[in-house]
Amino acid sequence: MAVERTLSIIKPDAVAKNVVGQILSRFEQAGLSIAAAKMVQLSQADAEGFYAEHKERPFFKDLVSFMISGPVVVQVLEGEGAVLKNRDLMGATNPKEAAAGTIRADFAESIDANAVHGSDSATSAAREIGYFFAETELCQRTR
Ligand code: DGI
């Protein structure tokens, strides 16, 4: 399987619960490596731009308010099949439907406050990584 990169966000609810380390551990234990990471307080414009594809959805306003309600931790994860692997680790969007042992089953509160974001395709990953990181901020994992 090809080595890929994907964008992951630990959302404000999970940051507030102090489970950043536990979530990062799950990525590492699954064989994904962190190629870039930062904590950031998103502005309204940042959140609206990131979720622009959902602009017309009824939940858009609540989603943006939630995403700016506290800092997030944004990382680029790298590894074989990283996009799908991360989606599997995350579980379904609605934590009530998320499989046991997934991040959302274990840490998410609701469909709004659902702990993590992960790119849903290689194309989204490329756009989302570029949204948060300059090329020079992506580190080569050489050892
Ligand atoms: O890729 P996901 O985060 O699993 O899901 P998505 O890209 O379809 O939606 C982005 C976020 O928008 C999701 O994490 C939570 C929110 N969302 C999606 N569908 C609904 C929703 N929020 C509410 N309240 N209701 C929805 O149906």
Side-chain angles (χ1 to χ4, degrees), residues 11 51 54 59 63 87 93 104 111-112 114 117-118:
K11 294 185 179 182
Y51 279 120
H54 292 311
F59 57 81
L63 174 61
R87 296 289 299 188
T93 307
R104 281 168 164 166
I111 193 166
D112 303 283
N114 64 2
H117 166 83

Side-chain angles (χ1 to χ4, degrees), residues 58-137:
F59 57 81
F60 182 69
K61 256 185 116 172
D62 288 344
L63 174 61
V64 169
S65 304
F66 164 65
M67 289 300 288
I68 66 174
S69 66
V72 296
V73 178
V74 189
Q75 49 279 322
V76 175
L77 303 175
E78 184 175 278
E80 287 189 5
V83 172
L84 255 183
K85 192 177 268 187
N86 182 40
R87 296 289 299 188
D88 286 346
L89 292 169
M90 289 165 57
T93 307
N94 185 347
K96 291 197 186 95
E97 292 163 11
T102 59
I103 292 168
R104 281 168 164 166
D106 291 343
F107 300 117
E109 291 159 26
S110 65
I111 193 166
D112 303 283
N114 64 2
V116 281
H117 166 83
S119 308
D120 64 4
S121 67
T123 306
S124 304
R127 180 188 82 81
E128 293 177 358
I129 290 169
Y131 196 81
F132 283 106
F133 295 98
E135 193 61 40
T136 51
E137 292 179 290

